[in-house]
Amino acid sequence: MSEEKLTIYKTKKIFTPTSSAKFTFVEREAKLNNHFVDALNTPGKQIVLYGHSGCGKTTLLTNKINQTYENSYTTRCMEGMTFENIVFDGFDQLSSLYTENSTTKSFKIAPELNVSYLDIKASLKLGDYTTQKTETNRHILPPQLTPQRLAKFYGASNSCWILEDFHKIKGDDKIKTSQLMKVFMDMSEEYEDLKIIALGAVGTARQVIEYDKEMNNRVAEIFIPYMKPNEIESIINTGEKLLNILFSKEVKSKIIKYSCGLPSICHQLCLNICFNKKIHETSKTKISINIEDLDKAISKLVEEKSDTLKSEFDKSIKVGNGVKINIPKIILENCLELNKDEFSHLEIFNQIKKYSITESNLTKSLSELCIPIRSEILIYDENSNLYRFNNLFLKAYAYLRLKEEITKNENAELENKNLKEASIIQKLLNIIENDIYNKLEDDEDYFIFEDI
Ligand SMILES: Nc1ncnc2c1ncn2[C@@H]1O[C@H](COP(=O)(O)OP(=O)(O)OP(=O)(O)O)[C@@H](O)[C@H]1O
Ligand SMILES: [Mg+2]
C-alpha cells in the first residue's frame, strides 16, 4: 500500500455551518449548476438566485464567481435601507480599486473614470459619508453619482455587484433598485461582463423584474432547492476523508435525515461531533464516530437552537392585538394534528372547518407561513402541491409549544417560562426522535424536493 501524505486541515474550515463551504463544497445538480454558470457567462444577463434560507445560495455564488470575475462586491440589504443607501454602499465598496495608485493593479481603469470616482468621493463631506451608509433617512446622492456612473465603475473594473437579501428592500426603493438592474443590463453593451446578482428569499424572484417586462428574458431567475440526501451525504463523505475520521453508516443516515435538506444542519452536527471528540484538525490516526457521538451533537444543537426556535415560532404565529382568531396558529395546530409529513391545502381546509375561516383567508395565511415574515415555518412544494414543516427542529418545537398550550391553556408569559426550563431540550429531543427514528427504514422518498 502506498503511503499517502496526510494534509492537515483545521476542522472549522471543513465543517462550516455559518460560512460558505470551500473544501466540502458539493457541486449542485448539473441542471442547476449549468443554468447558473451559463447565466454568469452570458453578457448582459442579470441573475436572481432565490430559495429558502440556508439552502446554499451564497455558497454556490462564492464558489463560482471567482471563475468569471476579478472582483465581486456584496451589498447586504437590510430592512429600511433606501435606494440611495444601496447606491452609496455599491459606490463605497469600490474604493480599494479606484485610488491614486490603482494603476498598479493587473488591469487598467481609464484614468478619467478614476478621476470621476475620486471627484465624487471628494464631493462627499466626511460627516455625510459615514452616516449615508447607516442611516435610513433619505439622503441626496451627489448629482454625479448616477446609476449609469456606478455601472461604469463596476464595468471598467470587471467587478460584479452582489445584492444579498434583496427582498428586504421595500416599496419604491425596491422598484428603483430593480431599475438599477436594468441600467446594468443596458450598459452591458459597453461592458459585457457587467452584472448584478440579486440573492433573495423564496417567492421573491418575480419582485425583481415585475416592474418591467423587458427585463424578463434578460434576467435568469434561478431557484436553489433544498439539498438532496446524496448531496448532504457528499458533504459528510468529503469531510470525513479530509479529517481522517469515519462516521458509521447509521450516523451518516441519521445526519442526512436530521438535516432535512439543509446543509447548515449537516455542517453543524458534524462540527459538534468533532469538537466533542476534540478533533480540531485532521487526525493522524483514523477516528470512528458512533451513534453516542451523534446524540451528544444533537443535544448541543437543540440547546443552542432553542432561543432561535422560540423566536422563529413566535414570529410565525404573531398577530395584531385586536385580531380575534389567530389563523396562522390554527393552521399550524391542525397541520400537526393531521399527523402526516405532508399535507394539502384541502386537507388543512377540511381540518379547520369548525373555525369558519374562509378559504381565501386560509390561502393567504398559508402562503405567509411559507415566507420569511412567518419564519418560513412551512414549505410549499410546487410539484406535489403539498406543504410540510421547514425542518424537524422547528416542527418539534411547534408541537411542544402548541401541545402545551392546548393542554394547559396558560397565558403566554407562563408558557414562556416553562419553555425556558431545561426539560424543554429533553422533550424536544424526544419528539424529534419519534418523528425520525420511526422513519429511518423508510425509502428515499421521505423528502420531497422542489425542482428547479
Ligand atoms: N454546495 C454546498 N456544499 C457544501 N456545503 C454547503 C453547500 N451549500 C451550502 N453549504 C453550507 O450550508 C450552509 C448554508 O449555506 P449558505 O449560507 O450558502 O445558504 P444561503 O442560501 O445563502 O442562506 P441564507 O438565505 O441564510 O443567506 C453553510 O453552512 C454552507 O457551508
Ligand atoms: Mg446567503
Side-chain angles (χ1 to χ4, degrees), residues 28-36 49-50 60 221-226 228 381-383 449-452:
R28 303 302 296 259
E29 54 193 312
K31 198 170 138 200
L32 162 63
N33 198 38
N34 295 344
H35 191 182
F36 178 54
L49 284 184
Y50 69 104
L60 179 66
E221 297 166 73
I222 303 173
F223 176 60
I224 312 293
Y226 279 93
K228 299 224 159 66
D381 178 16
E382 283 171 22
N383 297 320
F449 293 92
E450 284 103 318
D451 216 333
I452 52 169

Side-chain angles (χ1 to χ4, degrees), residues 14-28 50-63 76 164-165 167 199-202 224 227 231-232 234-235 261-268 376:
I14 300 298
F15 294 124
T16 51
T18 50
S19 57
S20 288
K22 186 174 161 202
F23 297 109
T24 53
F25 175 69
V26 174
E27 289 289 344
R28 303 302 296 259
Y50 69 104
H52 292 285
S53 178
C55 58
K57 300 177 288 289
T58 309
T59 304
L60 179 66
L61 181 61
T62 322
N63 279 276
R76 268 170 239 291
E164 277 248 22
D165 290 343
H167 59 272
L199 271 62
V202 71
I224 312 293
M227 278 194 160
E231 292 172 319
I232 298 277
S234 288
I235 299 176
L262 285 168
S264 54
I265 296 184
C266 169
H267 280 274
Q268 187 71 64
E376 303 176 57

Side-chain angles (χ1 to χ4, degrees), residues 371-403:
I371 54 175
I373 55 164
R374 294 209 178 275
S375 316
E376 303 176 57
I377 191 166
L378 295 183
I379 288 165
Y380 170 63
D381 178 16
E382 283 171 22
N383 297 320
S384 63
N385 222 350
L386 295 173
Y387 296 84
R388 65 181 160 97
F389 276 87
N390 185 322
N391 64 65
L392 289 169
F393 296 98
L394 205 45
K395 181 179 178 183
Y397 186 83
Y399 182 83
L400 188 64
R401 278 285 293 273
L402 292 169
K403 184 129 196 326

